[in-house]
Amino acid sequence: MTYRMRLYLHRMHALDSSLCIRVNHASQYLWVRWLFRLISRLGDGVFWYTLMCLLILTQGQQGATAALHMALVGIAGTLLYKWLKGKTLRPRPYEVHQDIWLTGRPLDRFSFPSGHTLHAVGFCTVALAYYPALAPVLLPFTILVGMSRVVLGLHYPSDVLAGATLGGLIATATLLLLA
């Protein structure tokens, strides 16, 4: 690796860490901590599984098709993010920086990429392809899930960005393949 590349990566990591610390310090406020813990817990799957069930119950065959499509994206996302976490082994921010406060509960050991964000973007993308009218609910929730990961000290912003990108790519690929 060249000197310029190492310098660039060092600067990017410093920016990522600095932004992570600033966003994480919002968790000092009880209402912020409570809100983002709730969002994160819903993002564990509760929100998305409830949406899938509601689509099946209220939208008939099209709802079942959308829910199945979301489930396929979820499985593909899980396989990819678990593989990447096992390859990158990036420690979580609170393990590296003493000034990052852990205010949430990690579901696994490593940071890169954010599985919550990957799934939120993937599920949101597929759901909106079938039901664009859900955008006023799904888009803000998806953004809040990504934010929650940094606020709670569980991920760097780059983990969230990578998760969002991968979730969007998986969902888009399945939409193109299944169209």
Side-chain angles (χ1 to χ4, degrees):
M1 186 181 316
T2 68
Y3 172 76
R4 284 183 182 218
M5 180 58 79
R6 283 195 310 270
L7 182 61
Y8 173 77
L9 290 174
H10 176 74
R11 287 181 180 161
M12 292 306 299
H13 179 70
L15 177 64
D16 201 25
S17 296
S18 174
L19 184 57
C20 186
I21 291 165
R22 285 199 313 260
V23 172
N24 170 255
H25 283 191
S27 69
Q28 69 183 307
Y29 302 104
L30 184 61
W31 71 270
V32 171
R33 232 180 3 255
W34 181 86
L35 171 68
F36 283 104
R37 281 180 181 161
L38 175 64
I39 294 293
S40 184
R41 178 64 184 115
L42 292 172
D44 283 349
V46 174
F47 178 87
W48 301 110
Y49 303 144
T50 301
L51 175 62
M52 288 181 215
C53 289
L54 287 172
L55 291 175
I56 292 168
L57 293 172
T58 63
Q59 300 300 309
Q61 182 59 43
Q62 184 183 11
T65 300
L68 178 59
H69 194 156
M70 290 171 71
L72 290 173
V73 166
I75 292 167
T78 299
L79 293 173
L80 179 60
Y81 96 82
K82 284 186 181 242
W83 179 80
L84 280 170
K85 283 189 180 208
K87 291 296 181 189
T88 60
L89 306 175
R90 185 180 196 185
R92 292 193 180 267
Y94 70 88
E95 296 174 317
V96 176
H97 301 282
Q98 66 183 14
D99 45 356
I100 292 180
W101 307 318
L102 176 62
T103 57
R105 183 178 52 92
L107 296 181
D108 56 37
R109 185 164 173 214
F110 299 109
S111 181
F112 183 88
S114 167
H116 276 74
T117 308
L118 183 152
H119 285 102
V121 171
F123 291 149
C124 179
T125 301
V126 171
L128 292 181
Y130 288 90
Y131 301 100
L134 293 175
V137 173
L138 298 186
L139 290 174
F141 180 72
T142 299
I143 291 166
L144 288 171
V145 167
M147 288 176 58
S148 77
R149 310 314 289 158
V150 180
V151 169
L152 298 175
L154 296 164
H155 289 283
Y156 292 97
S158 59
D159 300 334
V160 171
L161 182 60
T165 301
L166 292 170
L169 288 172
I170 292 168
T172 302
T174 62
L175 287 165
L176 293 172
L177 287 172
L178 300 175

